[in-house]
Amino acid sequence: MQRGPPRIVSSWGNVARGEHHVYGFRSRFEDFPDIPGESTILPFGNGRSYGDSCLNVGGALLETRFLDRFIRFDADQGILGCEAGVQLADILRVVVPAGWLPCVLPGTQYVTVGGAIANDVHGKNHHRAGTFGCHVTRFELLRPDGERMSCSAQETPDWFAATIGGLGLTGLVTWAEMRLRRVAGPWLDVESIRCADLHELLELSMESAKDFEYTVAWVDCLAQGRRLGRGIVQRANHAGSGATGRRPAAGAGFAVPFAPPVSVVNSATLRLCNAGHYHRRARRTRTVEHYQRFFFPLDGIRHWNRLYGPRGFHQYQCLIPGESAAESVRRLLGAIAAAGEGSLLAVLKCFGDRASPGLLSFPRSGITLALDFPNRGAALAALFERLDAIVAQSGGRLYPAKDARMPGRLFRAGYPRLEEFLRFTHPRCSSSFWRRVMARA
Amino acid sequence: MTRALIIGATSAIAEATARGLARRGAALYLVGRNAQRVAAIAADLRTRGASQVEQEAMDVNDFAAHEAMLDRAMRAAGGLDIVLIAHGTLSDQQACEESVQLTMHELSTNALSVVALCTRIAPRLSAQGGGTLAVISSVAADRGRRSNYVYGSAKALVSAYLSGLRQRLSPAGVQVLTIKPGFVDTPMTAAFAKGPLWASPQRIAAGILSAIDKRRDVVYLPGFWRPVMWIIRMIPERIFKRVAL
């Protein structure tokens, strides 16, 4: 493998970017590449992390795009083994026709299995299924020094817990095996219910968790006063085998061909979109939706991240645990609405209490709130500081996969098992995120 | 059901093409040098929908092994609809300039082994009364350039050979397809920044399958390389010799 000149790599939010030496990896039998003595390296899947957790500016990236072979699919037992660069989209193409589905699906199918493990991603069924890592049965970890480890919760509980949610810092996951869940077909019965304020929205979200496998809420982040936290709760279950609905159009659909010179998302367009979305449909609607539309509404628009213009965007995803979570969420939404910032993408979800397997896994019992913000520099930074203060006071945490700016102390306070995790990182593995949050300033 | 033999099955373009065939439910016979990697690709293709996958390890420079391999491949599925020859090495031009032995070896891998295989495949397809022989050449075959003329001349030999073979096999209903990819984004080129001239193996594979379906003779992949290479071929030698390409 030749070492070429460094090249610019950026992540999904387009706020973090920089030069990297990029190494390819094409088969799970291959050795870890030789990198120069002083350099560090980070496994890189499909680059769908929003901030700098998937970047290693000034160092090296190990691309897993071509590490994308299925190893085995047991269609009777629902077990799938594959290399780490396989994307969830590829898995769906193979397993859905056979009546199976991955147990946990995040908001995009264009993530690799390795990335889903390294960030221990979650989905709309967290209150039932927990995180992606809860369903991973085993994987192989290849350390930069060449050591190969077969990891499972039984054989190597410590390495297993460190690598799931471990941000790629323990080494390269070369392959993984996971359990799937049975589905009768690709359809879901979806109910959408409009809620006039935060109280109603949270009540309905909590209540829906009992009878619905999937729950998620969209929040109108500009609504203030008595309308604060108004939104739409979406809840769904898999439909029976007889169900059918409108199939998504074949092919990749619409693409944003280039980044417009300024963000298309601004306060004027946002006000219109949010009000429109809130009032678009009847108070309560029931539909049958294809899983592609239900799980991955944004995947229909390729390169949607370009809509935010060349300055990119930040996502702020926090988790507030405990009894007083509702009050903290009210304060967060109040601060955001008062600043008039945000975007159409504002999502609230009540996590369940199934324990996450990773030492650094983001999800835990509580309420998570995720919002996109066009990058407007200092004004946005000031808002983030106000939000950080509320998160810190509530004993909450931010999600590294979405982050390009959290202060190190907020990260260290939010992840109490950090000290334990440090025993498993490899000195040759690092990331821009890691250096940023671990720098003691 | 399509029955295909793929030689050089571990190459990125061959693997992407095999995945396209697997999605169509094809029966595949894979040949590659590294047994472990060929076996891993076979398992992957079974999962992706191939109706049957068999594989064997063979070094294309072992010409004596070709005949028995072809026998086994023909027997495995009772005939062959497609033979894709995709093996090759991207020769190190500078090292070749300093070594006769290396140059001869590169010519053997990229040209002579292909000729040896085609010589044995031609009568089989002809006797069958049809089928497709698809061979990966390169845009580099269109003109020798100082940066890669050992590789380019090997591919030029292949292109010229296929042109003649096409005339010979055409009456028998056999399609001979010359595939000329440009820059392809593979794990071997991960280090380089990719400009607009680069194409993914998936895109090349889709072009190969479509060219087979349409019974084309020579395809440039992506298609923009056809006019680009036409221009490069038109440059007079007395000017070309002073150009750094």
Side-chain angles (χ1 to χ4, degrees):
Chain A
M1 176 79 217
Q2 290 163 281
R3 185 176 162 94
R7 60 180 241 233
I8 303 275
V9 180
S10 68
S11 63
W12 188 244
N14 282 324
V15 282
R17 60 171 65 230
E19 291 196 329
H20 297 81
H21 284 282
V22 182
Y23 292 81
F25 202 80
R26 61 172 179 171
S27 126
R28 60 186 182 272
F29 311 112
E30 205 170 323
D31 291 332
F32 203 94
D34 266 329
I35 50 172
E38 75 287 358
S39 177
T40 61
I41 190 160
L42 183 72
F44 184 89
N46 202 34
R48 286 299 183 114
S49 295
Y50 285 60
D52 55 1
S53 67
C54 64
L55 299 179
N56 188 23
V57 175
L61 293 177
L62 184 53
E63 264 191 353
T64 61
R65 271 186 312 145
F66 292 98
L67 186 64
D68 67 341
R69 277 157 220 102
F70 288 100
I71 297 170
R72 78 182 181 110
F73 171 39
D74 181 335
D76 296 322
Q77 302 293 317
I79 307 272
L80 181 89
C82 64
E83 292 179 345
V86 171
Q87 295 187 17
L88 298 187
D90 303 319
I91 293 180
L92 291 165
R93 215 172 287 134
V94 165
V95 304
V96 173
W100 296 97
L101 201 68
C103 295
V104 170
L105 291 166
T108 171
Q109 60 194 315
Y110 301 123
V111 297
T112 63
V113 167
I117 292 173
N119 295 287
D120 199 14
V121 300
H122 58 271
K124 297 173 182 177
N125 61 351
H126 182 272
H127 59 284
R128 293 275 178 90
T131 64
F132 190 87
C134 291
H135 309 278
V136 171
T137 47
R138 56 192 310 119
F139 56 81
E140 181 186 67
L141 181 66
L142 174 59
R143 304 270 283 171
D145 51 45
E147 187 188 359
R148 281 176 195 268
M149 255 184 276
S150 175
C151 299
S152 69
Q154 295 75 37
E155 298 162 318
T156 52
D158 45 356
W159 286 100
F160 194 73
T163 301
I164 294 177
L167 302 170
L169 299 166
T170 61
L172 174 74
V173 172
T174 58
W175 59 261
E177 195 168 83
M178 69 193 86
R179 278 187 297 267
L180 306 169
R181 54 149 297 160
R182 270 256 174 238
V183 285
W187 304 103
L188 293 115
D189 285 320
V190 184
E191 213 176 322
S192 301
I193 302 162
R194 203 153 74 194
C195 299
D197 61 24
L198 183 63
H199 179 73
E200 209 179 294
L201 187 101
L202 288 174
E203 289 283 299
L204 186 64
S205 296
M206 310 262 189
E207 180 202 307
S208 302
K210 282 198 297 290
D211 298 320
F212 292 86
E213 196 174 338
Y214 302 97
T215 68
V216 69
W218 168 79
V219 182
D220 177 354
C221 66
L222 292 181
Q224 282 179 286
R226 59 186 174 77
R227 289 175 177 161
L228 183 77
R230 73 174 184 179
I232 298 170
V233 169
Q234 217 185 28
R235 52 193 201 179
N237 283 315
H238 286 281
S241 54
T244 179
R246 198 157 59 91
R247 286 205 167 264
F254 179 73
V256 181
F258 59 89
V262 293
S263 172
V264 169
V265 185
N266 56 46
S267 59
T269 58
L270 179 59
R271 211 160 283 281
L272 267 171
C273 287
N274 273 16
H277 187 65
Y278 181 76
H279 291 291
R280 190 161 62 110
R281 290 190 287 193
R283 208 188 80 77
R284 192 187 189 103
T285 60
R286 294 191 63 165
T287 49
V288 176
E289 278 186 29
H290 193 266
Y291 80 92
Q292 282 278 342
R293 255 181 83 97
F294 179 73
F295 290 118
F296 319 117
L298 287 170
D299 281 352
I301 307 168
R302 273 181 299 139
H303 305 300
W304 63 261
N305 54 338
R306 291 178 179 163
L307 291 172
Y308 289 95
R311 298 184 70 187
F313 70 105
H314 285 275
Q315 183 168 108
Y316 193 90
Q317 181 166 7
C318 61
L319 174 127
I320 310 291
E323 297 295 307
S324 58
E327 190 42 45
S328 302
V329 168
R330 179 180 303 281
R331 287 170 61 205
L332 288 167
L333 286 172
I336 293 162
E341 300 275 356
S343 78
L344 189 60
L345 228 120
V347 174
L348 182 149
K349 158 95 194 142
C350 299
F351 280 156
D353 46 20
R354 185 160 175 179
S356 298
L359 297 177
L360 292 191
S361 293
F362 167 70
R364 57 173 289 198
S365 167
I367 302 174
T368 183
L369 185 64
L371 295 107
D372 284 359
F373 295 91
N375 179 17
R376 300 208 303 115
L380 187 59
L383 172 63
F384 283 158
E385 274 172 40
R386 292 196 288 281
L387 303 183
D388 286 349
I390 300 168
V391 172
Q393 273 169 21
S394 335
R397 53 170 66 151
L398 300 188
Y399 191 5
K402 307 290 180 69
D403 183 71
R405 41 75 47 197
M406 77 166 100
R409 65 191 139 68
L410 185 58
F411 173 73
R412 297 191 295 266
Y415 291 86
R417 302 186 74 181
L418 178 60
E419 288 300 321
E420 238 177 294
F421 174 73
L422 292 177
R423 300 207 316 265
F424 301 96
T425 58
H426 194 280
R428 301 305 301 275
C429 293
S430 185
S431 68
S432 295
F433 171 84
W434 195 241
R435 289 189 290 278
R436 181 163 60 74
V437 298
M438 295 307 283
R440 303 265 170 182
Chain B
M1 181 191 63
T2 308
R3 300 156 301 177
L5 162 64
I6 300 180
I7 299 167
T10 58
S11 95
I13 294 175
E15 190 174 358
T17 308
R19 286 181 185 182
L21 290 167
R23 266 198 294 278
R24 299 178 179 185
L28 302 168
Y29 196 90
L30 310 180
V31 178
R33 195 164 39 152
N34 182 325
Q36 192 180 37
R37 289 189 54 212
V38 178
I41 290 168
D44 172 73
L45 295 170
R46 274 181 212 112
T47 304
R48 289 177 194 265
S51 53
Q52 180 189 332
V53 188
E54 292 190 42
Q55 81 263 10
E56 72 171 79
M58 187 195 81
D59 185 337
V60 290
N61 282 323
D62 182 4
F63 296 177
H66 293 180
E67 186 77 32
M69 178 276 288
L70 290 170
D71 284 341
R72 284 189 291 272
M74 298 280 288
R75 259 202 315 274
L80 286 171
D81 303 299
I82 298 171
V83 178
L84 173 66
I85 300 182
H87 68 268
T89 50
L90 199 56
S91 317
D92 180 338
Q93 175 63 33
Q94 216 169 352
C96 284
E97 286 166 20
E98 289 153 19
S99 163
V100 172
Q101 200 191 351
L102 181 62
T103 301
M104 295 303 123
H105 186 73
E106 291 298 322
L107 291 175
S108 174
T109 306
N110 291 321
L112 301 184
S113 70
V114 177
V115 169
L117 283 162
C118 289
T119 305
R120 289 185 162 121
I121 291 163
R124 290 167 189 262
L125 293 185
S126 187
Q128 237 183 219
T132 295
L133 173 59
V135 182
I136 297 187
S137 177
S138 168
V139 294
D142 283 15
R143 195 151 194 186
R145 295 176 298 123
R146 77 170 179 204
S147 59
N148 69 348
Y149 61 82
V150 172
Y151 179 75
S153 57
K155 291 298 194 184
L157 189 158
V158 169
S159 293
Y161 178 92
L162 293 175
S163 167
L165 188 63
R166 183 175 301 113
Q167 287 191 319
R168 175 182 146 207
L169 294 183
S170 178
V174 175
Q175 178 197 12
V176 175
L177 172 65
T178 308
I179 301 154
K180 295 185 170 178
F183 298 132
V184 185
D185 179 12
T186 70
M188 311 304 286
T189 61
F192 305 104
K194 311 292 187 305
L197 295 182
W198 290 76
S200 67
Q202 290 76 18
R203 187 165 171 203
I204 305 291
I208 293 174
L209 292 176
S210 145
I212 292 173
D213 292 343
K214 293 179 186 152
R215 297 192 69 81
R216 301 270 304 270
D217 299 318
V218 180
V219 281
Y220 287 80
L221 294 173
F224 66 78
W225 284 103
R226 186 181 289 272
V228 169
M229 295 317 295
W230 183 83
I231 292 167
I232 289 176
R233 278 200 312 276
M234 287 306 112
I235 302 172
E237 200 66 29
R238 73 191 137 77
I239 296 172
F240 196 73
K241 72 180 178 194
R242 278 173 283 164
V243 176
L245 264 173

